[in-house]
Amino acid sequence: MREIYVFENAAQPVLRPAAEAAGVDPVLLQAAQGENFDWMEPMFAGGSPEHFYLTVFKQPKKAGGIVVVFYGGEEAMFCAIANSNLDLLACASHFSSMVSNVRYGVDIFENAGDDED
């Protein structure tokens, strides 16, 4: 995992590097550091596997989870840990929108040279 953040949805959404964030769930941090998400419940996945996509994992029997953003197959670019379910949904919404916008931009770039007769 290249980068690990903690998502906080206070008055305004904030991403803090995990090393600087207080109160990070140690189980979620360990999962992120080891890229071990097999024990978690997958909630949502979106995007395009050949470009950018994300997967949202919920911690079973406990609040919170992790949003992982991947690039080009299986390479994880970064993840955001959410300590509460509300933060998890806000984080998933934020990054889903970002991944969707990136995919839209890739489509425009790929189709820029096509002649539409």
Side-chain angles (χ1 to χ4, degrees), residues 7-8 15 17 34 36 45 68 71 81 83 103 105:
F7 184 88
E8 299 170 2
L15 279 175
N36 177 16
V68 186
Y71 169 73
I81 297 171
N83 287 317
R103 181 64 224 163

Side-chain angles (χ1 to χ4, degrees), residues 4-8 15-25 29 83:
I4 301 171
Y5 297 95
V6 175
F7 184 88
E8 299 170 2
L15 279 175
R16 296 189 196 290
E20 298 173 9
V24 181
D25 185 318
L29 183 59
N83 287 317

Side-chain angles (χ1 to χ4, degrees), residues 37-89:
F37 309 111
D38 294 338
W39 62 276
M40 299 182 80
E41 297 173 5
M43 286 181 56
F44 171 81
S48 176
E50 62 272 2
H51 297 291
F52 289 97
Y53 70 100
L54 66 88
T55 303
V56 179
F57 297 98
K58 183 182 180 328
Q59 191 168 199
K61 300 180 184 176
K62 194 172 175 186
I66 299 176
V67 176
V68 186
V69 177
F70 296 91
Y71 169 73
E74 296 298 319
E75 182 181 348
M77 291 182 66
F78 65 90
C79 74
I81 297 171
N83 287 317
S84 73
N85 289 335
L86 182 59
D87 286 354
L88 181 60
L89 292 178

